[in-house]
Amino acid sequence: MPATLRALAVLAFAGFVVGGPANAVAANHDIIIAQMQFGTVRPLHVGDVITWHNDDIFRHSATARDKSFDIDLPPKSQKSMVVKQVGKVDFYCRFHPMMTGTLDVQP
Ligand SMILES: [Cu+2]
């Protein structure tokens, strides 16, 4: 193909790589714990930050079944963590095992 077209193709490819999901800006996600339940968890990407908010008057935790994280949350506290692994991770509260949720992490 002509050199100019090839250059355009290379530029287009570079643009795709730079703008691709791997370089997406990390998003912040708030997961609210209230009335003994974990709130909505939106789809996540590696590098995103989750801030867990415990709005209850009880102590809770956000504990991964695969032990990849274990966040202790005293009443009316909040803590942040960076999402590091791809896949679905089920989590629960160590103090109230009926409280459960799932992180769905894309690359
Ligand atoms: Cu709890």
Side-chain angles (χ1 to χ4, degrees):
M1 77 177 92
T4 48
L5 269 185
R6 193 161 55 231
L8 281 175
V10 168
L11 280 176
F13 179 71
F16 171 77
V17 171
V18 169
N23 289 285
V25 175
N28 294 301
H29 302 266
D30 293 300
I31 299 178
I32 313 293
I33 304 171
Q35 298 178 343
M36 308 291 288
Q37 287 187 328
F38 288 103
T40 307
V41 184
R42 290 178 296 151
L44 302 151
H45 293 90
V46 170
D48 286 357
V49 175
I50 297 173
T51 301
W52 303 89
H53 299 258
N54 179 4
D55 286 356
D56 273 340
I57 57 170
F58 307 103
R59 184 182 180 189
H60 293 300
S61 78
T63 304
R65 298 237 184 252
D66 67 4
K67 298 184 166 56
S68 57
F69 58 86
D70 185 12
I71 312 280
D72 186 47
L73 293 157
K76 305 293 181 188
S77 70
Q78 64 182 62
K79 282 180 190 164
S80 297
M81 62 174 243
V82 177
V83 177
K84 291 183 178 161
Q85 65 181 40
V86 174
K88 294 200 175 192
V89 180
D90 292 325
F91 59 87
Y92 66 104
C93 170
R94 276 187 279 123
F95 309 105
H96 315 99
M98 297 298 291
M99 294 173 58
T100 60
T102 303
L103 302 185
D104 184 3
V105 182
Q106 310 293 322

